[in-house]
Amino acid sequence: MWKGTEAMETTVDSAFIRRAVEVADLNAVRVALYQLTGDPEVAQLPTAANLDEAQRELLITKAVSWLEQYAGPVRLTEPPEAELRTLMNMATAEEMGDLEFEARRDLPAFKEFPWTAEWTDAKPELPEGFKVAIVGSGFSGLAMGVQLERLGIPYVVLERRGEPGGTWTINRYPDVRVDTISITYEFSFEKDHQWDEYFGRGAEVRSYLEHISRKYGVFDHTLFNRDLKRATFDEGRNVWMLESETPDGPETIEANVVVTAVGTFANPKFPQFEGQESFEGPILHPAAWSPDLELSGKRVAIIGNGSTGVQLLAPIAAEAEQVFVFQRTPQWISPREKYGAPIEPELHWLVENFPGYWNWARYMAIAALFQTHRFLVPDEEWKAQGGKFNPLNDKMREDLTAYIKAQTGGRVDLIDKLIPDYAPFSRRPVVDNGWYKALTRDNVELVTDGITRFTPKGIETQDGTLYDVDVIVTATGFEVIKYLWPTEYIGKDGVSIHDFWSKDGPRAYLGMMTPNFPNMFMIYGPNSQPVSGGTGLPIWYVIWSAYSAQCVVRMIEEGHSRVEVKEEAYERYNKALDAEAAKLILLQEEGAPDKNYYVNEFGRLQVNAPWYGPEYHRMCTRVDWDDIEIS
Ligand code: NAP
């Protein structure tokens, strides 16, 4: 326990400190304060949502008083296990089991580099010329680069664009920003990061990633403008030959191990509508947004109401003369507290000067996702009694329906078109950026008739209406389920990965390894995105990187040159995965699997790991060496 050692010089007054505590996450304040002081009165306080007025005041007063005396930029080390567990239980007011504790203990990120792979003893001598190639320098490629930097393993990053940041460098459309709170969409090894907004804008995420790339040394290992076209495994030598296109012509490099970190939102999906070429104005995918595009006085069509289409409607509607929104399928679109709000200067001060606050604010933000699995599994008894799916999911449906009605001011003409006939949590959640409200503007019209064709002047729908527009924005998504595409990977016996996956779509062991492709790991590969108990993807990028690094470490330590998943383990894992996926709403009738990019054309869950989050965490953090062949 740390009570503070001496009074710190502080430049802020009591009123400022009080405001800081008041805008803070009071749960995080409660747990951090207890960690610092061991004050039994703080221990007895309920979670923030259950504080009465007197308890709230007590907590705030105690925190302010502590900060007045001791505030300062001190970073706490990880408390002993029993204490950590007590604090975590206190945070969520629940006694967690061992499996959950194991999965969650690094979420507050007290360790310097949570989850990172290590050498067993001192770093051994590496084989002459040993090198890892990482493909992509977005979030996941950076995570892998940081692992290798720490291990001192030589590596190179091949990046097809001219800067690090992946999808965040591609997507620059109006109002692009994260829709999970930034404190969960950041790396746990970059402590106390100060975001400008609760939900960082695209430009801020981009500069954060460049900062990470430079600070941790990955930037200097990155070869930009390398578009990897083909990777071929040389079985005789256990190395990969990587052929890229560069501005100076083709280039081939050799690497012992390849780690693909190419993301799922890197390749825009361009729809093919009849008459598309005849349209006289620009047709623009948001991933190809032009900052020079002038929309004032223009008539604009927006096709699509996924996260992107929803995010960009309000700013476009504020500028354009007229907007037509083409919706094929209604979405469940939900609000987020503090979405679009700047982080107060007082909170910035608190993050810097209240030891433990950042750790517990992270933990609390992630804890909000711990119960997700309960929304995804049906309750047959509930359904037999007339419920739609399960009590929690039905309640969410009710709340979101009420939200739609409230946001549209009760406009029945809109409401009827906006309420989905499938259950919430079936598809990737979409966050409201004022989309429903924008639909009520005089210059916005929601169109739900199917599009039949583009004409020189606009878009024609099934009922024969012609929507006359100057610009068409196709917010039609990405080639999410075409993993690794369009790069060709050739493994053992000349087998192409896309042929290997042609039976029912991409598969992998733990989302990371595929038989026939030795010395190859995928970060954010097929069926890897945890469907529940989610903790924000950046944590998983680190976990998958650490898993891949552990395999490389062991291969080097044992003096071998080849690591691969056993075919039997891959088959067994995927059989269990299919069985688990079948239990979830995403593949059931209530979940409209035919309208979901999580599900592929073979009806298989493709993007997600269907497991209960803590179980999947265990699978990915404790390598089952019986499943892996090292030779
Ligand atoms: P998306 O979720 O795949 O949505 C594509 C939209 O286009 C859907 O409304 C789809 O309709 C519609 N569409 C596709 N083809 C069409 C066609 N031929 N005719 C009419 N409509 C068509 O794509 P997205 O919005 O780009 O989002 C992709 C993912 O990127 C998100 O799920 C999220 O993971 C990520 N993202 C994140 C953020 C963020 O964090 N802030 C922002 C944007 C995107 P149907 O529903 O009928 O298929």
Side-chain angles (χ1 to χ4, degrees):
M1 195 179 302
W2 183 75
K3 293 183 165 51
T5 47
E6 57 193 66
M8 308 284 291
E9 280 285 319
T10 174
T11 53
V12 296
D13 61 17
S14 294
F16 181 95
I17 296 177
R18 192 180 167 90
R19 286 200 304 279
V21 175
E22 282 178 346
V23 295
D25 176 339
L26 283 184
N27 269 319
V29 169
R30 188 176 63 105
V31 183
L33 190 62
Y34 180 65
Q35 183 179 1
L36 294 165
T37 63
D39 182 340
E41 270 193 297
V42 175
Q44 275 157 24
L45 292 172
T47 56
N50 298 306
L51 290 169
D52 65 26
E53 211 26 66
Q55 290 168 324
R56 184 172 178 276
E57 187 51 36
L58 178 76
L59 176 61
I60 292 174
T61 306
K62 278 178 180 283
V64 171
S65 160
W66 190 93
L67 287 160
E68 281 170 344
Q69 290 183 68
Y70 303 120
V74 174
R75 195 162 289 149
L76 300 183
T77 52
E78 185 175 52
E81 185 168 314
E83 187 187 334
L84 179 62
R85 193 162 178 148
T86 303
L87 293 166
M88 288 163 64
N89 284 339
M90 182 181 163
T92 51
E94 58 163 19
E95 282 289 319
M96 72 184 81
D98 292 342
L99 180 69
E100 286 76 11
F101 177 64
E102 181 182 318
R104 296 172 188 167
R105 63 173 299 160
D106 283 328
L107 300 181
F110 286 109
K111 288 184 193 136
E112 196 185 351
F113 282 88
W115 294 286
T116 310
E118 306 285 354
W119 298 106
T120 311
D121 298 310
K123 181 184 160 192
E125 201 172 313
L126 302 184
E128 171 94 29
F130 188 90
K131 185 162 68 190
V132 175
I134 301 169
V135 188
S137 72
F139 245 113
S140 47
L142 291 173
M144 190 69 211
V146 172
Q147 293 277 335
L148 297 174
E149 275 290 329
R150 287 184 49 74
L151 289 163
I153 296 177
Y155 68 96
V156 65
V157 184
L158 301 176
E159 166 55 52
R160 78 178 176 193
R161 298 174 66 81
E163 58 186 323
T167 191
W168 294 100
T169 70
I170 299 170
N171 285 287
R172 295 168 188 246
Y173 56 82
D175 237 15
V176 57
R177 65 170 74 235
V178 299
D179 63 7
T180 49
I181 193 155
S182 283
I183 199 166
T184 68
Y185 198 72
E186 62 175 17
F187 283 122
S188 48
F189 53 77
E190 177 69 2
K191 313 292 180 188
D192 302 344
H193 185 78
Q194 300 280 13
W195 293 97
D196 290 345
E197 297 192 22
Y198 283 91
F199 292 78
R201 288 176 185 273
E204 197 183 358
V205 180
R206 220 160 47 233
S207 52
Y208 172 80
L209 292 172
E210 178 163 350
H211 162 72
I212 296 288
S213 176
R214 290 184 187 274
K215 177 174 171 181
Y216 293 91
V218 185
F219 196 90
D220 292 339
H221 294 262
T222 308
L223 299 175
F224 293 103
N225 302 307
R226 297 322 196 263
D227 191 357
L228 181 66
K229 294 292 176 196
R230 191 179 168 89
T232 311
F233 187 65
D234 179 337
E235 286 191 70
R237 297 192 302 130
N238 289 339
V239 293
W240 283 92
M241 306 303 293
L242 304 156
E243 298 165 58
S244 301
E245 234 170 60
T246 83
D248 302 323
E251 177 188 84
T252 301
I253 66 157
E254 199 175 293
N256 303 73
V257 173
V258 64
V259 180
T260 69
V262 294
T264 51
F265 305 118
N267 299 301
K269 189 156 85 187
F270 299 104
Q272 294 304 319
F273 290 104
E274 192 187 318
Q276 205 164 295
E277 317 68 40
S278 69
F279 180 65
E280 288 168 358
I283 302 176
L284 211 69
H285 191 285
W289 198 264
S290 160
D292 303 328
L293 186 68
E294 185 49 67
L295 290 180
S296 74
K298 298 270 168 56
R299 298 166 63 81
V300 182
I302 300 177
I303 303 176
N305 57 333
S307 300
T308 306
V310 165
Q311 209 162 46
L312 51 66
L313 171 63
I316 290 181
E319 196 184 339
E321 180 191 304
Q322 172 72 41
V323 182
F324 298 104
V325 175
F326 291 83
Q327 170 190 281
R328 190 165 65 178
T329 313
Q331 295 264 18
W332 290 112
I333 302 172
S334 50
R336 292 285 180 280
E337 211 185 322
K338 297 189 172 163
Y339 186 81
I343 294 186
E344 302 81 353
E346 289 89 342
L347 193 63
H348 281 146
W349 176 87
L350 198 77
V351 166
E352 196 178 334
N353 292 291
F354 189 8
Y357 177 77
W358 173 80
N359 307 80
W360 292 109
R362 260 178 82 78
Y363 189 74
M364 292 316 307
I366 296 167
L369 306 168
F370 286 167
Q371 304 300 330
T372 319
H373 209 89
R374 294 170 58 202
F375 288 88
L376 305 175
V377 280
D379 179 336
E380 294 307 335
E381 220 172 284
W382 175 259
K383 281 164 73 175
Q385 288 164 12
K388 284 188 186 305
F389 191 67
N390 73 29
L392 272 180
N393 194 297
D394 285 10
K395 173 76 172 64
M396 177 63 76
R397 181 189 282 239
E398 215 178 278
D399 291 349
L400 291 179
T401 303
Y403 180 71
I404 294 171
K405 291 180 180 166
Q407 290 295 303
T408 52
R411 285 245 321 250
V412 180
D413 58 320
L414 286 174
I415 292 167
D416 288 348
K417 294 173 176 170
L418 291 173
I419 298 176
D421 60 1
Y422 57 88
F425 282 95
S426 313
R427 314 171 84 187
R428 203 274 195 185
V430 177
V431 169
D432 193 15
N433 182 27
W435 192 75
Y436 290 122
K437 276 231 163 81
L439 292 179
T440 65
R441 293 175 62 114
D442 289 343
N443 68 335
V444 177
E445 185 178 333
L446 177 66
V447 181
T448 53
D449 272 313
I451 297 171
T452 43
R453 69 181 69 84
F454 287 9
T455 70
K457 298 282 176 217
I459 294 179
E460 192 182 296
T461 53
Q462 273 159 2
D463 63 356
T465 310
L466 178 66
Y467 294 87
D468 190 354
V469 292
D470 306 305
V471 179
I472 298 177
V473 178
T474 54
T476 43
F478 293 83
E479 300 286 3
V480 175
I481 57 182
K482 290 187 175 178
Y483 282 84
L484 304 188
W485 179 87
T487 301
E488 192 60 85
Y489 287 82
I490 310 290
K492 286 197 298 206
D493 302 323
V495 61
S496 139
I497 198 137
H498 302 297
D499 289 345
F500 183 69
W501 284 337
S502 61
K503 184 170 146 244
D504 59 3
R507 286 181 180 273
Y509 169 79
L510 297 176
M512 289 184 271
M513 299 167 89
T514 302
N516 293 317
F517 294 84
N519 296 6
M520 174 168 156
F521 300 88
M522 288 169 271
I523 313 289
Y524 204 4
N527 289 108
S528 66
Q529 179 172 304
V531 79
S532 76
T535 48
L537 275 170
I539 283 171
W540 284 96
Y541 301 144
V542 174
I543 291 172
W544 296 318
S545 303
Y547 183 102
S548 312
Q550 278 185 66
C551 292
V552 175
V553 160
R554 183 151 177 179
M555 181 174 87
I556 293 172
E557 286 183 337
E558 294 183 353
H560 292 302
S561 60
R562 181 155 163 160
V563 54
E564 57 199 307
V565 63
K566 291 177 184 164
E567 178 115 28
E568 173 278 321
Y570 166 87
E571 297 293 349
R572 173 172 31 84
Y573 176 83
N574 274 286
K575 201 164 162 214
L577 184 141
D578 287 345
E580 198 63 27
K583 296 177 191 165
L584 300 177
I585 193 166
L586 294 87
L587 288 185
Q588 298 180 5
E589 206 189 325
E590 296 89 344
D594 55 323
K595 295 175 176 166
N596 194 347
Y597 75 67
Y598 287 164
V599 178
N600 71 14
E601 79 234 59
F602 304 97
R604 275 195 59 234
L605 188 66
Q606 174 70 95
V607 173
N608 319 81
W611 322 105
Y612 173 52
E615 265 171 36
Y616 183 51
H617 178 276
R618 181 173 282 185
M619 294 179 212
C620 293
T621 49
R622 294 188 185 182
V623 181
D624 185 344
W625 295 109
D626 290 343
D627 289 350
I628 310 292
E629 189 158 322
I630 301 185
S631 55

